[in-house]
Amino acid sequence: SAVVFPKKITTEQQSLMLVKRLLAVAVSCITYLRGIFPESAYGTRYMDDVCVKILREDKNSPGSTQLVKWMLGCYDALQKKYVTGVCLAADECNNYWLCLQTVTECYHFKFKYTHNGPLLDFGSKDKKSDSTITCADTKKASILLIRKIYVLMQNLSPLPNDVCLTMKLLYYDEVTPPDYQPPGFKEAEYRGMMFNEEPMHLNVGEVPTPFHMLKLKITTEKQRMENVDKNILKQGETAKPLQVCGVSGDDAGEESQDM
């Protein structure tokens, strides 16, 4: 459904619903603007005054249906406060990264929980106590994040024609039961990721609420950034309304850039 920003986020459930919907919008925007699924796999929704495409189950697109099921599994792990990160990776189908550990592009969502939930320090340059975060802060950060995704996805070099997606969930070991697996997932050994070409890491943005923090980092092959002007990335911060509808298709030791 549409992402509605309440005038006040007073309960953890309100915050959780907003984070779930924002995750859905971000994943949908990425896959839509990168041309991973056909137009029929998306519906039109609104995030405030921003028109976006939202992924849905489509009998003519088994891949989109599978990703929707993965997202429902993510929601289960978010609800239980187990998940610390969601890694959505794209690569050529004949170079399947679970076997060869190679990827072309990776979208990494990180989560932080407050109010007696697990904590994770993202090293934010604009840290705020959870008690001072307003709904206006959350709304502004959410729209800015989607705008930055839109600008970046439209300016990266195209992905290979035949792309496979994989999704991995990373957990807080201290609170997650050893046998826990959300619907649609199975246990897998996390062996990290390897890129065929030199990677570049982009810290796209973060969205705070009084109960959660969502952060997005995108890693892609550096050559795909050759045509991206750094000034273009700043367009995501403009105040102009964004229309995504109808548009075709900071870890140690990493070279990261902030958008």
Side-chain angles (χ1 to χ4, degrees), residues 81-100:
K81 299 183 181 180
Y82 292 162
V83 65
T84 176
V86 175
C87 295
L88 182 65
D91 195 20
E92 292 182 87
C93 289
N94 61 0
N95 202 18
Y96 198 51
W97 79 286
L98 282 178
C99 299
L100 301 179

Side-chain angles (χ1 to χ4, degrees), residues 80-85 111-114 116-121 170-180:
K80 295 178 169 65
K81 299 183 181 180
Y82 292 162
V83 65
T84 176
F111 301 97
K112 168 186 173 181
Y113 311 88
T114 58
N116 300 320
L119 296 176
L120 183 62
D121 181 12
L170 307 177
Y171 303 104
Y172 288 102
D173 292 337
E174 62 272 22
V175 296
T176 306
D179 59 349
Y180 172 75

Side-chain angles (χ1 to χ4, degrees), residues 13 23 39 53 89 92 104 114 145 150 200 230 232 242:
Q13 188 60 34
L23 178 63
E39 184 78 24
K53 291 289 188 177
E92 292 182 87
T104 300
T114 58
L145 178 68
Y150 170 78
M200 175 173 283
K230 289 185 180 180
I232 291 178
L242 172 66

Side-chain angles (χ1 to χ4, degrees), residues 159-175:
L159 288 170
N161 291 329
D162 194 11
V163 171
C164 285
L165 290 180
T166 56
M167 181 178 282
K168 282 182 177 287
L169 302 189
L170 307 177
Y171 303 104
Y172 288 102
D173 292 337
E174 62 272 22
V175 296

Side-chain angles (χ1 to χ4, degrees), residues 56-169:
R56 62 188 178 188
E57 292 186 82
D58 178 13
K59 63 181 181 181
N60 296 318
S61 177
S64 66
T65 299
Q66 181 61 61
L67 184 51
V68 168
K69 291 178 180 178
W70 286 345
M71 293 297 296
L72 295 176
C74 291
Y75 292 167
D76 184 82
L78 273 169
Q79 178 93 33
K80 295 178 169 65
K81 299 183 181 180
Y82 292 162
V83 65
T84 176
V86 175
C87 295
L88 182 65
D91 195 20
E92 292 182 87
C93 289
N94 61 0
N95 202 18
Y96 198 51
W97 79 286
L98 282 178
C99 299
L100 301 179
Q101 297 178 275
T102 59
V103 294
T104 300
E105 213 160 83
C106 180
Y107 319 100
H108 189 188
F109 297 88
K110 292 184 179 180
F111 301 97
K112 168 186 173 181
Y113 311 88
T114 58
H115 286 254
N116 300 320
L119 296 176
L120 183 62
D121 181 12
F122 291 131
S124 171
K125 297 178 181 177
D126 184 27
K127 291 183 180 178
K128 281 194 173 189
S129 165
D130 60 293
S131 61
T132 66
I133 295 172
T134 67
C135 192
D137 295 327
T138 301
K139 179 178 177 180
K140 180 180 178 181
S142 299
I143 294 176
L144 181 58
L145 178 68
I146 298 305
R147 284 180 174 147
K148 285 183 173 181
I149 291 173
Y150 170 78
V151 172
L152 181 59
M153 294 298 102
Q154 286 287 34
N155 286 279
L156 286 174
S157 297
L159 288 170
N161 291 329
D162 194 11
V163 171
C164 285
L165 290 180
T166 56
M167 181 178 282
K168 282 182 177 287
L169 302 189

Side-chain angles (χ1 to χ4, degrees), residues 1-7 9 14 17-18 21 46-48 135 139:
S1 61
V3 177
V4 179
F5 294 95
K7 293 183 178 179
I9 300 176
Q14 283 179 312
M17 183 63 67
L18 188 61
R21 288 178 174 174
Y46 286 86
M47 190 175 77
D48 199 53
C135 192
K139 179 178 177 180

